Amino acid sequence: MNVSQRTVTLHLAEPLRISRSTMAARDAVWLRVEQAGQRGHGEAVSSAYYGLDTATLRRLLHEAALELGRFADPESALRALWEEEPGRRPAAVTAAVESALLDLCGKRAGVPVHRLVGATAEPFAATARTLGIVPAERAAARARCLADSGFSIIKVKAGAADPEDDMARIRAVRTAAPHARLLLDPNGAWSVTRARELLPICAELGVEAVEQPIAPGDPEALARLAEHAPLPIIADEDAVSYEDVRRLAGRVQGVNVKLAKCGGVHAALRIASLIEGSGTALMLGCLTASTLGIAPAVHLAGHARWTDLDGHLLLAHDPWTGIGGTDGVVRASGRPGLGVRPLATTEEEGEEGRHENVA
């Protein structure tokens, strides 16, 4: 197999402010695996929170690509990847390698990725659309536009220094989009005391669920909070690995599974099986990424109670297409592999020089 990589910068349409940072752009490393004229693609994005800068991603994907060169075909490489000891490499790197192999295996078999992993119908789901920490008036205007465009789920970021700013933003969004389902995400910015004060207010305002209200690192505290909370609590930063989820299963109402933090499609399916029947539901989340980076999770949409796969919708220019989302719904097509393709302006398929051959 021939393996190559390319680094690009993804610019957001507008800076996204959350409780711990503001982001205007991030780098993505695209991995391409080729055999007999067919290509599979995967993407990993840089993340300060997960300690993955661009240089580290490039190095780790280069090392992974050299290992792929030992295999005669992508099918055997994919089987070996799924048999690896968890944690052998960062989850985002494993997920990108798996994505490229799944894409290529699907194309070689003539079937979409969701068929490769056991689903029959083409998955689709209403996706949440994220609003960052912005003034209430601006949040209201944006929520109104989103509702008019077909979005039925809006996720509001929280964690401002003044908690009343958060509540004002929720009230404004609720008024502007009265029929939308609302999710709230403080990204761990609240203390336990503040969470206990604010969660009843959130429930009264019609918030459906709250992600990681308190700082990660004390899952027992999160579980205790969830036990008496007036609305569902979804673990995110405290639910990174399979073992993290195992400790929280049945003790929180949801876990946010992002392929870049758990290790890809196979790892996500293991988590979905683990929590089935436990009282803990699955949320599919993502990092800000292109359609290529979001697509593998879309193929799992049938497993989720909540879907938050809008990372590609936050970009000023998405260099890939194939999963939709601008109308509030993401869809996996029946096309072989991931079902995505580069836009003509990306020229990804035609510029061999833009990729660095690895193996």
Side-chain angles (χ1 to χ4, degrees):
M1 290 186 293
N2 178 267
V3 187
S4 59
Q5 66 175 231
R6 176 185 174 189
T7 304
V8 300
T9 299
L10 304 174
H11 296 277
L12 278 68
E14 59 183 51
L16 177 65
R17 179 187 168 199
I18 65 174
S19 61
R20 61 175 176 254
S21 63
T22 300
M23 180 179 61
R26 74 185 334 154
D27 285 344
V29 183
W30 294 340
L31 187 72
R32 185 173 72 191
V33 181
E34 182 175 4
Q35 187 166 51
Q38 291 182 306
R39 293 167 171 171
H41 303 271
E43 176 181 275
V45 294
S46 58
S47 170
Y49 183 80
Y50 291 110
L52 291 173
D53 58 28
T54 307
T56 300
L57 275 180
R58 286 179 55 83
R59 174 178 59 80
L60 292 172
L61 284 168
H62 180 90
E63 293 171 359
L66 292 176
E67 293 183 20
L68 290 178
R70 299 188 291 106
F71 295 94
D73 54 66
E75 291 79 11
S76 57
L78 186 61
R79 287 192 296 271
L81 186 72
W82 286 348
E83 292 170 359
E84 279 186 1
E85 187 72 22
R88 181 170 176 265
R89 57 172 64 93
V93 174
T94 299
V97 174
E98 182 199 52
S99 171
L101 292 173
L102 281 170
D103 191 26
L104 182 54
C105 288
K107 289 173 180 174
R108 283 162 58 88
V111 299
V113 163
H114 57 267
R115 289 271 303 277
L116 288 180
V117 295
T120 52
E122 294 176 10
F124 68 95
T127 180
R129 181 66 161 78
T130 300
L131 297 180
I133 297 176
V134 297
E137 298 81 3
R138 186 174 172 190
R142 190 70 182 119
R144 192 174 298 111
C145 289
L146 290 173
D148 290 344
S149 299
F151 284 86
S152 59
I153 311 171
I154 297 175
K155 183 164 89 167
V156 181
K157 290 291 187 177
D162 183 351
E164 182 50 38
D165 288 348
D166 292 337
M167 298 303 104
R169 191 177 314 107
I170 299 167
R171 291 188 188 97
V173 171
R174 169 50 72 214
T175 301
H179 303 297
R181 297 165 57 193
L182 296 187
L183 303 175
L184 189 68
D185 185 8
N187 287 107
W190 294 345
S191 65
V192 172
T193 299
R194 178 166 289 182
R196 286 174 176 160
E197 294 171 351
L198 297 180
L199 289 176
I201 301 174
C202 294
E204 291 173 3
L205 292 172
V207 173
E208 181 175 320
V210 177
E211 287 182 62
Q212 195 71 42
I214 63 174
D218 190 350
E220 290 299 316
L222 185 68
R224 289 193 297 270
L225 181 67
E227 184 179 2
H228 301 290
L231 73 177
I233 300 298
I234 302 170
D236 183 357
E237 287 88 345
D238 267 328
V240 175
S241 68
Y242 181 91
E243 287 303 312
D244 291 339
V245 175
R246 184 182 61 78
R247 286 188 286 269
L248 286 169
R251 306 180 67 200
V252 294
Q253 289 77 32
V255 290
N256 186 339
V257 171
K258 297 174 179 144
L259 303 193
K261 71 173 181 176
C262 77
V265 168
H266 181 65
L269 288 172
R270 289 186 67 225
I271 290 174
S273 177
L274 169 68
I275 63 176
E276 187 174 3
S278 70
T280 296
L282 183 72
M283 179 181 196
L284 277 174
C286 65
L287 303 180
T288 303
S290 77
T291 280
L292 173 60
I294 305 297
V298 176
H299 285 268
L300 303 179
H303 295 271
R305 174 178 172 182
W306 299 283
T307 301
D308 180 23
L309 298 177
D310 68 337
H312 61 306
L313 302 176
L314 304 179
L315 301 179
H317 167 68
D318 183 357
W320 294 77
T321 186
I323 58 174
T326 56
D327 60 351
V329 178
V330 289
R331 307 167 179 84
S333 74
R335 294 190 296 273
L338 291 174
V340 303
R341 63 186 186 280
L343 293 177
T345 53
T346 306
E347 296 180 312
E348 196 280 337
E349 295 290 337
E351 292 190 32
E352 297 297 330
R354 301 290 292 277
H355 271 74
E356 171 193 347
N357 286 326
V358 180

